[in-house]
Amino acid sequence: AAVRSASAFSIRSLHHVSAPQQISLLRHFSTAAAADSDTLINNRISRAPVPSSLDARTLSDNLDLVLSHLRSRRASDEALDAAKTISTLNLDRVALIKERDEALQQRNELSAKVGMLMRESKGEETEEIIGIKAEATTVGETAAGAE
């Protein structure tokens, strides 16, 4: 199948060119279109590098592409706003997951430190251990809040 680039040619328009030359031209335009991600096809950005399924991550990573395709299909303003909202919410979700993971990692490190100090003090809770436990609890609550 031929990839249409900004020059908009097709195999039918190459009927006077020999088969090897057609293949050469098709390869040239295919690689040129793939190399330039901003190539317009039918007044919209090419989606060549994007997977065929549309999920929240794909939408967030390729918002300009999705909006371009929606506009080319004459989508309503509500549909465009919905795509932007989904992208924003997904970015917020990713930030919360990252915050949660960092808090859980910190809590695990503090818990390991408490265990080490408890072994050294032979089970007695010192002021240092109580302080670390309180900090681990606070960090754990932060992780729970991010979920």
Side-chain angles (χ1 to χ4, degrees):
V3 174
R4 291 179 174 256
S5 68
S7 64
F9 76 96
S10 69
I11 293 176
R12 289 187 187 117
S13 67
L14 298 174
H15 68 278
H16 63 281
V17 179
S18 69
Q21 289 175 330
Q22 286 179 4
I23 291 170
S24 175
L25 285 171
L26 289 174
R27 283 188 185 140
H28 169 74
F29 283 107
S30 295
T31 52
D36 184 9
S37 63
D38 291 337
T39 300
L40 292 180
I41 299 174
N42 298 326
N43 292 324
R44 62 182 181 209
I45 300 171
S46 170
R47 67 175 194 91
V50 178
S52 62
S53 65
L54 184 62
D55 58 4
R57 181 176 179 185
T58 303
L59 192 141
S60 294
D61 293 346
N62 303 291
L63 182 60
D64 292 337
L65 172 84
V66 171
L67 292 175
S68 171
H69 280 251
L70 286 172
R71 283 186 197 106
S72 73
R73 292 173 173 261
R74 296 182 182 101
S76 66
D77 289 338
E78 292 83 21
L80 297 172
D81 290 340
K84 291 174 189 175
T85 301
I86 290 169
S87 176
T88 302
L89 290 173
N90 189 55
L91 293 174
D92 292 346
R93 178 184 155 275
V94 168
L96 285 172
I97 289 171
K98 184 176 179 180
E99 179 183 339
R100 182 205 62 196
D101 290 347
E102 289 171 356
L104 289 175
Q105 179 183 3
Q106 187 178 7
R107 184 186 69 183
N108 289 343
E109 290 170 359
L110 290 170
S111 295
K113 191 173 182 180
V114 166
M116 183 185 70
L117 291 172
M118 289 290 281
R119 272 184 247 111
E120 288 176 1
S121 68
K122 300 194 188 325
E124 294 180 33
E125 284 195 11
T126 62
E127 291 294 322
E128 182 182 11
I129 293 172
I130 293 170
I132 293 173
K133 278 184 169 182
E135 186 180 350
T137 301
T138 304
V139 172
E141 291 169 356
T142 302
E147 283 191 59

